[in-house]
Amino acid sequence: SAVISQKPSRDICQRGTSLTIQCQVDSQVTMMFWYRQQPGQSLTLIATANQGSEATYESGFVIDKFPISRPNLTFSTLTVSNMSPEDSSIYLCSAQSGTGYQETQYFGPGTRLLVL
Amino acid sequence: ILNVEQSPQSLHVQEGDSTNFTCSFPSSNFYALHWYRWETAKSPEALFVMTLNGDEKKKGRISATLNTKEGYSYLYIKGSQPEDSATYLCAPTGGGNKLTFGTGTQLKVEL
């Protein structure tokens, strides 16, 4: 398993500003991911954070809006850029552990973002 | 994998009741199904990873079954306790690393 921490745990931001969320894993992991949960919606994958290369974004998410860094095997950041109220969500990072059919993603506690 | 449905959306039970809820998913291109429990202000907690048709897994008072041919999984909680109050999420995967989450079943166990 993996223990994951996130900073900040919550924030209230003004529209047009940017927020960077940090994710720290207690062990080296190959795969890290960023998700968001908008109010009333399911957890949705934003992107896969690749160590040493550009993140892989899911349909509907772009690098200019959600730049991601992954400088090493234990750390990643997600920036929410030029925020609008529609970006108000819970943002979670996860790390994958295990192999084959026992691969499991372990999640951080989330960052609760409110954009005014 | 798209179209993951969980029912009911929310559930209120009394302490000591047993309960169950459903996760439905397309049966084609199935690889594994994950169940998570997510308590407010905490990290989603991995409960089970299920892969085989007919599989049944158990963790304390919580168990789950899997039917990959018809595309559903049941989660059961026996003798519900207030600490079981949480949102229960399922996420099938078609291989690779992408989890597609349902909207969850929000369980409230009342004294």
Side-chain angles (χ1 to χ4, degrees):
Chain A
S1 65
V3 178
I4 301 172
S5 58
Q6 282 184 235
K7 290 194 300 186
S9 59
R10 59 178 66 239
D11 209 341
I12 301 173
C13 299
Q14 298 297 318
R15 70 169 66 214
T17 63
S18 298
L19 176 72
T20 295
I21 303 168
Q22 299 180 7
C23 178
Q24 180 74 54
V25 188
D26 69 340
S27 58
Q28 292 187 340
V29 292
T30 304
M31 307 294 291
M32 291 183 72
F33 307 90
W34 286 97
Y35 291 80
R36 76 173 180 189
Q37 185 188 46
Q38 294 178 298
Q41 304 296 313
S42 58
L43 266 175
T44 301
L45 180 63
I46 297 171
T48 302
N50 300 308
Q51 195 268 327
S53 64
E54 192 172 285
T56 305
Y57 290 85
E58 297 301 305
S59 176
F61 298 97
V62 295
I63 188 171
D64 290 345
K65 176 66 176 177
F66 298 101
I68 289 171
S69 77
R70 177 92 190 270
N72 56 52
L73 293 177
T74 64
F75 186 77
S76 179
T77 68
L78 169 77
T79 298
V80 186
S81 303
N82 188 24
M83 288 183 284
S84 66
E86 292 71 35
D87 294 319
S88 298
S89 297
I90 303 174
Y91 291 85
L92 296 101
C93 70
S94 72
Q96 186 163 291
S97 183
T99 57
Y101 283 117
Q102 296 308 311
E103 288 177 341
T104 301
Q105 288 188 28
Y106 296 92
F107 285 83
T111 296
R112 285 154 177 79
L113 172 63
L114 176 63
V115 183
L116 301 177
Chain B
I1 291 184
L2 302 175
N3 299 324
V4 181
E5 297 184 359
Q6 290 189 247
S7 62
Q9 187 174 14
S10 65
L11 194 56
H12 285 68
V13 302
Q14 296 295 313
E15 183 180 12
D17 288 349
S18 294
T19 186
N20 66 86
F21 19 94
T22 307
C23 172
S24 300
F25 52 88
S27 56
S28 60
N29 196 32
F30 174 86
Y31 182 79
L33 181 91
H34 299 250
W35 279 102
Y36 286 85
R37 174 171 61 197
W38 192 4
E39 296 180 64
T40 302
K42 295 185 178 180
S43 305
E45 175 194 357
L47 291 174
F48 305 115
V49 181
M50 309 180 77
T51 56
L52 300 175
N53 184 48
D55 210 0
E56 181 172 348
K57 295 208 171 180
K58 190 174 181 181
K59 184 177 182 179
R61 293 178 292 98
I62 303 176
S63 61
T65 60
L66 179 66
N67 184 322
T68 61
K69 293 183 178 179
E70 296 182 37
Y72 64 85
S73 176
Y74 293 138
L75 189 81
Y76 301 90
I77 302 178
K78 183 177 179 181
S80 302
Q81 300 296 310
E83 57 265 31
D84 296 328
S85 297
T87 297
Y88 291 82
L89 300 169
C90 71
T93 174
N97 307 300
K98 296 184 181 181
L99 299 178
T100 302
F101 284 90
T103 52
T105 293
Q106 189 172 7
L107 175 66
K108 175 71 174 176
V109 182
E110 298 167 341
L111 295 171

